Amino acid sequence: MNHRKDKKKTEGPRITFVTQYGPLSRQINMILRKTIGSKVSRSLVQKEDIQSNTFLGTKNTGMYQCLNCTQCKHVIRGKTFVHPDTGESVQIRGYHTCLSQFVVYLIVCPCGKIYVGETVKKVKSHISQHKSTIKPGNLALPCFRPFKEHGHTVDQLRFMVLETIPPLKRGGDGEQRLKQREVWWINKLNSLHPHGLNKVYDLYLL
Ligand SMILES: [Zn+2]
Ligand SMILES: [Zn+2]
């Protein structure tokens, strides 16, 4: 018999990413291994989640309008996101506006489907870029097809920042960490096709 619990507290760089949600876990793990590999450890991300959460407490969390940009009208405001399909309520950690960058965000289609994305840019610039691909007649490389495919208009677009992942001060690939959190949120919100608007091939575009 061994009652030692020290194994639990050991924080090594080789803790593997284990998804807990839904039947797509194996698929997501495979994608994760192919795109990110073992460079990003989950323990690191978890530790930072806890730190930022403690630092900010429960005050001043959520998504808000910057009140000074053309994307403000598209913002889903609040401290929680309610999944339009499942009704599940997700607490938003951190404080985010249209000006936040290095973010994982979501876009909700008027038909209730979710798209999860990430950007290193200010989210308002990224959303603006999405909008330009929705406009009729635009033949530029589409980064956001669903609205066009569903016949929605740009005005119906709603977005929310789920998490901000600032780059590490010393080294580290900010984009890879973002990508990892994006996959986590895709899994959490079940936004992979056909339930949602994320497609597997999007995850390979690093
Ligand atoms: Zn704004
Ligand atoms: Zn739609």
Side-chain angles (χ1 to χ4, degrees), residues 65-72 75 98-99 124:
Q65 294 161 316
C66 75
L67 301 175
N68 194 31
C69 86
T70 50
Q71 313 310 330
C72 279
V75 167
C98 322
L99 303 176
K124 67 167 188 174

Side-chain angles (χ1 to χ4, degrees), residues 110-206:
C111 54
K113 294 201 172 188
I114 291 175
Y115 172 85
V116 173
E118 51 85 19
T119 180
V120 298
K121 291 181 292 192
K122 282 180 183 153
V123 69
K124 67 167 188 174
S125 315
H126 195 67
I127 293 296
S128 165
Q129 201 178 31
H130 274 327
K131 280 166 70 178
S132 70
T133 67
I134 296 165
K135 281 179 185 148
N138 190 321
L139 298 174
L141 185 70
C143 59
F144 193 66
R145 293 170 189 267
F147 263 63
K148 230 177 199 173
E149 290 171 358
H150 297 185
H152 308 314
T153 66
V154 167
D155 286 340
Q156 295 175 293
L157 187 146
R158 297 288 176 271
F159 78 99
M160 185 177 211
V161 171
L162 295 165
E163 188 177 358
T164 302
I165 302 107
L168 294 167
K169 277 174 193 162
R170 270 192 283 168
D173 189 322
E175 282 246 48
Q176 278 193 340
R177 297 172 70 234
L178 270 174
K179 212 73 194 167
Q180 196 223 18
R181 293 307 291 165
E182 181 192 21
V183 171
W184 189 88
W185 279 106
I186 287 171
N187 206 18
K188 167 92 176 157
L189 299 174
N190 197 21
S191 70
L192 210 55
H193 184 81
H195 308 285
L197 303 174
N198 286 101
K199 289 179 181 166
V200 171
Y201 67 73
D202 291 335
L203 303 174
Y204 290 93
L205 302 175
L206 279 173

Side-chain angles (χ1 to χ4, degrees), residues 36-83:
I36 298 166
S38 58
K39 288 186 183 177
V40 183
S41 79
R42 183 179 175 167
S43 64
L44 181 66
V45 177
Q46 275 185 336
K47 202 158 59 181
E48 281 168 14
D49 273 356
I50 292 160
Q51 275 171 355
S52 64
N53 206 34
T54 309
F55 175 70
L56 291 163
T58 51
K59 294 174 200 163
N60 295 325
T61 60
M63 175 70 190
Y64 301 94
Q65 294 161 316
C66 75
L67 301 175
N68 194 31
C69 86
T70 50
Q71 313 310 330
C72 279
K73 62 183 174 193
H74 299 295
V75 167
I76 301 169
R77 282 182 297 170
K79 293 172 188 284
T80 54
F81 172 73
V82 180
H83 197 297

